[in-house]
């Protein structure tokens, strides 16, 4: 389990890619083969000023690229499920998700390991031909 908060000097009220990049890229607890829940939460100050506490969850798997064309699989309720091949594209997807919920002021992100990727996961991913649709310059799913 790993956790991060917004950098103290940030002008943003919600988590940014720069705040959490290392949580995904250089985190020894989020190793290849891990399936994690990506839990967003409000910081304690924001929680204390609201009549309810909101949270949001997405799931992300870190894959072995010798067995898969993708480095990550992401599932998010509004965007669906898709594969990502590069860390930079994970950053774009993460920032899009974070920006979508910016009004909730999610200031905390926690990765919680749910399990491990199985051979069946790689077999399924490998059996589906990639579909590429350009959303905007440099961002494709």
């Amino acid at each position: 389990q790993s956790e991060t908060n917004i950098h103290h000097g940030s002008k943003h009220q919600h988590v940014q890619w720069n705040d959490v990049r290392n949580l995904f890229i250089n985190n020894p607890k989020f190793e290849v083969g891990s399936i994690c829940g990506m839990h967003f939460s409000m910081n304690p100050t924001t929680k204390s000023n609201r009549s309810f506490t909101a949270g949001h969850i997405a799931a992300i798997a870190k894959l072995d690229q010798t067995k898969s064309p993708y480095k990550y699989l992401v599932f998010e309720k509004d965007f669906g499920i898709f594969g990502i091949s590069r860390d930079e594209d994970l950053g774009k997807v993460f920032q899009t998700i974070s920006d979508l919920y910016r009004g909730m002021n999610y200031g905390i992100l926690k990765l919680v390991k749910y399990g491990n990727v199985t051979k069946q996961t790689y077999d399924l991913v490998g059996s589906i031909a990639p579909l590429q649709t350009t959303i905007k310059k440099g961002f494709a799913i």
Side-chain angles (χ1 to χ4, degrees):
Q1 178 165 271
S2 298
E3 181 176 337
T4 191
N5 289 301
I6 294 175
H7 288 279
H8 296 293
S10 178
K11 64 181 179 180
H12 302 281
Q13 295 300 307
H14 64 288
V15 177
Q16 303 292 299
W17 176 244
N18 289 334
D19 297 325
V20 299
R21 184 181 191 286
N22 284 330
L23 194 63
F24 293 99
I25 310 301
N26 299 317
N27 182 350
K29 294 180 182 178
F30 185 47
E31 60 196 7
V32 170
S34 297
I35 301 173
C36 291
M38 197 166 57
H39 299 248
F40 291 89
S41 179
M42 294 176 183
N43 62 40
T45 303
T46 302
K47 284 181 189 178
S48 70
N49 293 321
R50 298 220 175 197
S51 59
F52 69 98
T53 302
H56 181 75
I57 300 175
I60 184 166
K62 194 171 195 176
L63 303 177
D64 180 344
Q65 284 190 285
T66 65
K67 299 177 184 177
S68 167
Y70 305 111
K71 188 169 186 175
Y72 304 98
L73 287 180
V74 177
F75 174 74
E76 199 281 331
K77 67 180 180 63
D78 290 322
F79 294 113
I81 188 167
F82 47 92
I84 300 170
S85 299
R86 301 176 321 144
D87 293 332
E88 297 81 18
D89 292 331
L90 178 62
K92 292 172 188 172
V93 170
F94 178 87
Q95 197 60 58
T96 299
I97 293 169
S98 181
D99 288 347
L100 182 65
Y101 295 98
R102 70 180 163 267
M104 299 308 295
N105 293 342
Y106 291 139
I108 299 171
L109 174 75
K110 192 180 282 190
L111 287 182
V112 178
K113 187 168 181 177
Y114 291 156
N116 296 307
V117 175
T118 64
K119 180 185 180 311
Q120 290 85 358
T121 305
Y122 288 111
D123 291 345
L124 177 62
V125 169
S127 71
I128 301 169
L131 171 66
Q132 191 171 53
T133 305
T134 302
I135 305 298
K136 53 184 155 177
K137 186 177 180 180
F139 179 40
I141 58 172

